[in-house]
């Protein structure tokens, strides 16, 4: 007697890019209003895929994200919308109204969040310092540009040699300080 089975054939599972690298302020911060709610360190300058990964992580945490605003200075491609968790998120870009090193995420149900955007080519130790500073619950609130300027000043002439065309990045050779939240 022969037996047949109805097992479906093996199929290739598509590769899913690593999730967003984030550091977020705690919700119970008693330090008062903050300039930044945290930091985001994208892996590339491919805004459509990077925004999808970011919103995919933040949607369940913060509520349904409906709009994202970026400064067009550092992104070669600016999509008008992205798809996240089965819904459309509108993307707007600004050149003078929004901090060049920031991103704003909006939700109808939960409000607004502002994140520092760390350039993808930034070294791990610099990115760790920036993520820690942007997500700190204590200290004086700083803007995204102020944090980037302070980090550049910290590196002095070494940083000037490693900047990209926009002057945003400064690779580092040190080991990362583990405060980065990877989601």
């Amino acid at each position: 007697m022969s037996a047949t089975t109805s097992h479906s054939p093996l199929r290739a599972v598509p590769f899913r890019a690593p999730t967003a690298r984030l550091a977020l302020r705690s919700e119970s911060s008693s330090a008062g209003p903050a300039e930044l709610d945290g930091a985001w360190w994208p892996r590339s300058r491919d805004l459509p895929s990077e925004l999808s990964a970011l919103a995919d992580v933040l949607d369940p945490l913060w509520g349904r994200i409906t709009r994202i605003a970026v400064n067009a200075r550092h992104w070669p491609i600016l999509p008008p919308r992205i798809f996240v968790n089965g819904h459309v998120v509108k993307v707007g870009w600004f050149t003078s109204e929004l901090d060049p090193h920031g991103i704003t995420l909006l939700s109808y149900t939960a409000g607004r969040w502002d994140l520092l955007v760390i350039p993808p080519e930034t070294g791990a130790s610099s990115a760790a310092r920036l993520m820690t500073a942007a997500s700190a619950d204590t200290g004086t609130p700083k803007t995204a540009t102020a944090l980037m300027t302070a980090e550049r000043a910290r590196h002095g002439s070494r940083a000037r040699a490693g900047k990209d065309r926009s002057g945003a990045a400064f690779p580092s050779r040190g080991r990362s300080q583990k405060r980065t939240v990877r989601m």
Side-chain angles (χ1 to χ4, degrees), residues 55-110:
D56 193 39
V57 169
L58 293 179
D59 238 22
L61 293 174
W62 286 347
R64 185 180 206 157
I65 294 176
T66 55
R67 293 184 182 271
I68 298 174
V70 298
N71 188 301
R73 175 192 264 176
H74 300 292
W75 303 102
I77 298 172
L78 298 164
R81 69 191 64 78
I82 58 171
F83 295 94
V84 178
N85 296 327
H87 71 277
V88 175
V89 177
K90 294 181 181 178
V91 180
W93 57 271
F94 303 91
T95 53
S96 61
E97 298 86 0
L98 189 64
D99 189 317
H101 300 287
I103 184 170
T104 299
L105 300 109
L106 302 168
S107 167
Y108 289 134
T109 58

